[in-house]
Amino acid sequence: MDLGLNDRVYIVTGATRGLGLAAARELVADGAKVVISGRDEKRAADTAAELGPNAVGIAVDNADPAGAQQLIDAARSHFGGFDGILISVGGPPAGRATDNTDAQWQAAFDSVFLGTVRLARTAAAELPAGGVIGFVLSGSVHEPIPGLAISNGLRPGLAGFAKTLSVELGPRDIRVIGLLPARIDTDRVRELDELSGNAEEARARNIAAIPLGRYGTPAEFGKAAAFFLSPAASYLTGVMLPVDGGSRHSF
């Protein structure tokens, strides 16, 4: 199947590792050009070099108000266009609802929530017809995850914002989609397993709750992201796709 990604230009934030990197890798493999971002300049440059000549790496913090326009300008200057953005942010700190501090909530709100909203809003003003805005959120949009109170508080709000944005941008033929990963085998998920005190037991317990009986691979997530961002998904907007091996209990 031809996804129609050849020579399309995407921005992928948080793409020096994990799910953002997995998505960027699949986009490039299918012919797209990508601007990837991360907080560390050397890591962003090294990751882009690994992806090849159709990738450029830039150091941008999602919480920086100037970062969104910087990324769009880079896409146009390096590749001559801007067709879409996938906003992937690092997970906020773990913790119970009664334990997380005001400072932790504020820092997470600025980066995870407001930074994401700002990136999407800036992209919406710059995208042409046929463009797409994607959000990497979490299965916590529908089912809170124990021990991740801040994420449980912020992700559903972003899903609501994404749905609202999809309605507003639909008449301009700009799509808005969300991806809801659960147990994808990334460094972040392994770190969460370790917080239990016994990573092997936590992994086994989590696998037992997944109908497919295993953690997903980053490549599997990346392929789902590439499809959703591609012209092949041109009639899909305002939807949240669980990438979770069937973990979500409702349909």
Side-chain angles (χ1 to χ4, degrees):
M1 179 180 180
D2 181 6
L3 297 182
L5 286 169
N6 195 46
D7 291 331
R8 289 179 69 86
V9 181
Y10 294 92
I11 294 164
V12 185
T13 72
T16 59
R17 59 180 288 187
L19 301 180
L21 175 56
R25 182 172 284 123
E26 295 300 330
L27 287 168
V28 169
D30 276 298
K33 297 178 171 67
V34 297
V35 174
I36 65 169
S37 72
R39 290 191 181 95
D40 184 89
E41 184 174 4
K42 183 179 186 303
R43 187 165 186 168
D46 289 348
T47 303
E50 174 197 334
L51 292 174
N54 285 339
V56 169
I58 296 177
V60 168
D61 187 333
N62 285 356
D64 180 0
Q69 192 62 54
Q70 183 182 349
L71 289 167
I72 293 168
D73 291 345
R76 288 180 172 145
S77 64
H78 285 282
F79 299 124
F82 172 49
D83 298 298
I85 185 169
L86 181 66
I87 306 169
S88 178
V89 299
R96 291 159 47 90
T98 53
D99 295 336
N100 288 122
T101 65
D102 284 2
Q104 288 176 317
W105 274 100
Q106 187 64 61
F109 178 83
D110 288 341
S111 178
V112 174
F113 195 95
L114 183 57
T116 297
V117 168
R118 188 185 294 116
L119 282 160
R121 191 175 59 215
T122 305
E126 302 273 355
L127 280 167
V132 60
I133 299 171
F135 297 83
V136 179
L137 299 175
S138 165
S140 63
V141 163
H142 295 296
E143 297 178 5
I145 300 171
L148 293 180
I150 294 178
S151 180
N152 294 339
L154 298 181
R155 307 286 192 189
L158 284 172
F161 170 76
K163 182 64 175 179
T164 302
L165 192 63
S166 74
V167 174
E168 295 179 2
L169 297 183
R172 290 174 49 197
D173 191 26
I174 295 173
R175 298 186 300 113
V176 181
I177 56 92
L179 297 155
L180 310 182
R183 290 286 163 173
I184 308 296
D185 198 7
T186 62
D187 291 342
R188 166 71 172 171
V189 166
R190 287 190 287 273
E191 289 166 5
L192 293 176
D193 285 346
E194 289 170 2
L195 287 176
S196 70
N198 189 320
E200 289 186 8
E201 284 186 5
R203 186 181 180 102
R205 183 170 60 251
N206 290 323
I207 285 174
I210 300 171
L212 287 183
R214 61 180 177 82
Y215 281 13
T217 68
E220 287 174 316
F221 174 86
K223 289 178 189 300
F227 170 71
F228 251 39
L229 292 168
S230 77
S234 58
Y235 203 55
L236 296 178
T237 192
V239 294
M240 299 285 129
L241 176 70
V243 188
D244 63 3
S247 298
R248 181 180 169 187
H249 294 152
S250 60
F251 54 84

